[in-house]
Amino acid sequence: MELIYEKSKAGRRAGTLPRPGLPVPDVPEGLARTNPPRLPELSEPEIVRHFTALADRTFGVDTGFYPLGSCTMKHNPRVNERVVALPGFRDLHPLQEEDGAQGALELMWRLQEILAEVAGLDAVSLQPAAGSQGELTGLMLMRAYFTDRGEADTRDTIFVADTAHGTNPASVTMAGFKLQKVGTDPRGNLDVEFLRANVNERTAGLMLTNPSTLGLFDESIEEVAEIFHGAGALLYYDGANLNAVCGISRPGDMGFDIVHFNLHKTFSQPHGGGGPGGGPVAVRKTLEPFLPVPAVVRDGERFRYDHDRPKSIGKVRGYAGPFGVFVRSYAFIRSYGPHLKDMSEVAVLNANYLLARLRGAYDLPFDRLCMHEFVLSARSLKREHGVTALDIAKRLMDYGFHPPTIYFPLIVPEALMIEPTETEPKERLDAFADAMLAIASEAADDPGVVKDAPHRRPVRRLDEVKAAKRAVVRYRFDEHPDLAAEPDAVEAR
């Protein structure tokens, strides 16, 4: 398929801009162009056809099974888009006076109340724009809490599991804490003996995803909470995997003091490809004074912003947060109503069904029932047949499935992380399982067909190492390099 620049023909136009006859403003000399920009020149039908052809090649949850699940692409009900497009929401300016934004304020307040109940905690801020910002906000709340208690100089260490999302250690560093890694025991739980020996008066807290990225619920979570609380430290819950436990168990009841939600994961958003996100934070009563301002509060039948929070860490995002995300998530939650736990129960059922079908063909690092996702390993296939997790992911594309997450969590060699979510029917799960089983058989009988995959996609296997080392991010016309001609390039057939 040609690039749009390659289709360009000089002089062709899709339209013309009006010439209003106004004076041309002066452009500072350092910013002024010396030559006009070289843009593609095509007629409107050709432009439409080009981008339609690109769209036809794009894979998404609307075109097929996406086993990265809520991590990246969970189904977003169409009613969400209808609701968020209502004029009162769509056209509302963030600086609208409170009296003219009562509906939006009420929606935010009610969403806060729902999230507090889901978390089993007391207060919520909707401001953070994503889970990573929610993490940083939670750690800033920890620092503010210990500063208020006069312990800021001594509480300097945060414990993070070796299965953690990569944003956890990054957030710890950004917040100015020291990082202490915690290993995983043979059952897939935190190493409790290590915690007993190392949690002390310098410990500020623990960051933990439960269930973990292994898809396993930590069997020792109550004991873990006792260890940290006994040392005067706090527990932070990474809510990335909350899709497994909504309405079934609550982080606050497990002992967590701070929770961030990924609204764009658990409660539906068009998140893939860098779409909008939301990372609200819930806290216990003792941490509420430090939440970002302004807080959305209710006074009788009226809703307003409360800026009078002298101990607040301040704003962490512009305005009140990603409002469109709030509307979609609120609609999603209200559609389930008191049956929200059905979402989690079916997600867990779907994951365990797939696990039961695949466990004989692939290695299972931890032989337990899973939660909403599970991790397999292709280490035996690699050792015996030279077929890697990457090869399996590429071959899945030939069967019409988007690959799952691979090589994460890092403690599992040749990892394949699979999350079906609650929306997939049994027939779709069976088709995916059949494809995975077929690939395992191919690895044994004809490994070459797997290692050379994909075979039936618009682009076959590319040289990903070269793409990373020699990124070409703009078209340079006559000066554009022909990397395919280099000896070590892999042909893009």
Side-chain angles (χ1 to χ4, degrees):
M1 181 176 179
E2 289 183 306
L3 300 176
I4 195 168
Y5 294 96
E6 296 169 321
K7 294 181 177 181
S8 176
K9 300 295 181 184
R12 291 184 179 172
R13 293 287 184 271
T16 56
L17 296 175
R19 299 182 180 277
L22 298 174
V24 178
D26 292 331
V27 179
E29 184 176 347
L31 300 178
R33 282 183 174 274
T34 56
N35 297 300
R38 296 186 70 178
L39 301 175
E41 300 176 73
L42 289 90
S43 66
E44 181 175 309
E46 287 301 302
I47 294 174
V48 171
R49 288 166 185 159
H50 175 76
F51 285 104
T52 299
L54 288 179
D56 288 343
R57 293 183 174 198
T58 301
F59 191 97
V61 74
D62 291 339
T63 59
F65 181 38
Y66 207 97
L68 283 82
S70 69
C71 286
T72 303
M73 188 66 77
K74 177 174 171 174
H75 174 65
N76 182 58
R78 295 302 178 268
V79 67
N80 292 4
E81 299 307 310
R82 293 286 297 275
V83 173
V84 81
L86 291 173
F89 292 146
R90 182 194 64 208
D91 302 332
L92 189 65
H93 193 280
L95 293 179
Q96 174 72 42
E97 294 180 356
E98 292 176 2
D99 287 344
Q102 285 296 295
L105 289 170
E106 179 176 355
L107 184 146
M108 288 189 286
W109 181 83
R110 292 190 180 280
L111 181 59
Q112 289 176 177
E113 293 294 295
I114 290 170
L115 295 178
E117 176 62 26
V118 169
L121 292 171
D122 301 298
V124 171
S125 171
L126 299 177
Q127 265 192 41
S132 55
Q133 193 177 30
E135 290 177 17
L136 183 60
T137 301
L139 290 166
M140 292 168 65
L141 294 171
M142 279 194 192
R143 183 170 292 283
Y145 170 80
F146 287 121
T147 299
D148 190 60
R149 293 168 59 90
E151 300 180 70
D153 294 334
T154 56
R155 301 281 182 179
D156 61 1
T157 303
I158 300 289
F159 285 71
V160 175
D162 61 359
T163 57
H165 296 99
T167 49
N168 284 189
S171 296
V172 169
T173 301
M174 288 184 67
F177 288 103
K178 298 177 182 177
L179 179 68
Q180 175 61 66
K181 184 177 75 171
V182 187
T184 300
D185 72 15
R187 289 277 297 168
N189 303 310
L190 283 181
D191 186 342
V192 175
E193 294 304 320
F194 178 86
L195 294 177
R196 285 201 191 99
N198 290 277
V199 174
N200 54 40
E201 67 281 355
R202 300 205 67 87
T203 302
L206 167 73
M207 296 188 78
L208 184 66
T209 308
N210 193 32
S212 68
T213 57
L214 295 167
L216 302 176
F217 191 92
D218 198 295
E219 298 164 315
S220 306
I221 188 59
E222 291 181 328
E223 188 175 359
V224 169
E226 289 175 3
I227 291 171
F228 280 88
H229 287 159
L234 299 173
L235 274 74
Y236 177 95
Y237 185 95
D238 180 333
N241 291 342
L242 195 69
N243 207 63
V245 297
C246 280
I248 300 170
S249 61
R250 306 191 303 176
D253 298 337
M254 301 175 205
F256 289 92
D257 305 288
I258 305 170
V259 172
H260 94 251
F261 302 84
N262 292 79
L263 294 182
H264 51 276
K265 292 185 178 185
T266 310
F267 303 118
S268 84
Q269 290 294 309
H271 183 55
V281 171
V283 297
R284 292 199 187 279
K285 196 71 176 176
T286 51
L287 290 157
E288 183 178 7
F290 310 106
L291 286 175
V293 289
V296 179
V297 298
R298 180 175 185 171
D299 284 340
E301 296 303 313
R302 186 176 180 274
F303 301 87
R304 64 178 178 85
Y305 289 124
D306 181 10
H307 295 266
D308 188 17
R309 301 288 177 99
K311 293 184 178 182
S312 169
I313 63 172
K315 290 182 72 68
V316 297
R317 189 189 187 280
Y319 305 108
F323 181 71
V325 175
F326 304 157
V327 177
R328 293 184 182 93
S329 294
Y330 184 72
F332 181 87
I333 294 169
R334 289 302 298 266
S335 69
Y336 271 100
H339 300 288
L340 186 61
K341 73 174 184 177
D342 291 353
M343 170 190 75
S344 295
E345 289 176 340
V346 176
V348 172
L349 176 64
N350 281 353
N352 277 282
Y353 177 72
L354 275 181
L355 175 60
R357 287 211 57 192
L358 297 177
R359 61 186 300 156
Y362 296 86
D363 294 336
L364 182 59
F366 300 94
D367 192 4
R368 291 172 51 187
L369 291 175
C370 66
M371 297 297 289
H372 69 308
E373 66 186 5
F374 60 96
V375 177
L376 299 173
S377 172
R379 57 190 170 192
S380 292
L381 295 179
K382 180 181 180 181
R383 181 178 62 251
E384 297 169 10
H385 311 295
V387 171
T388 66
L390 177 64
D391 296 330
I392 294 165
K394 298 292 187 183
R395 182 60 173 153
L396 265 173
M397 296 165 66
D398 285 330
Y399 285 87
F401 295 105
H402 193 287
T405 300
I406 58 174
Y407 298 119
F408 185 80
L410 301 177
I411 68 169
V412 177
E414 299 299 322
L416 295 151
M417 178 197 285
I418 299 168
E419 180 186 357
T421 77
E422 67 281 355
T423 52
E424 298 301 331
K426 181 176 179 296
E427 295 80 6
R428 185 74 65 177
L429 300 179
D430 281 329
F432 176 76
D434 290 342
M436 289 287 290
L437 295 173
I439 293 170
S441 296
E442 291 170 344
D445 300 335
D446 186 8
V449 75
V450 184
K451 290 192 279 188
D452 290 339
H455 303 277
R456 297 189 292 274
R457 296 291 92 197
V459 177
R460 292 188 60 182
R461 191 173 301 205
L462 303 176
D463 190 335
E464 297 179 18
V465 174
K466 173 162 288 186
K469 290 183 176 180
R470 297 201 58 183
V472 178
V473 295
R474 66 189 179 100
Y475 193 74
R476 299 179 63 181
F477 297 90
D478 297 335
E479 299 177 2
H480 199 70
D482 182 11
L483 299 181
E486 297 187 13
D488 58 343
V490 174
E491 181 185 2
R493 297 182 290 271

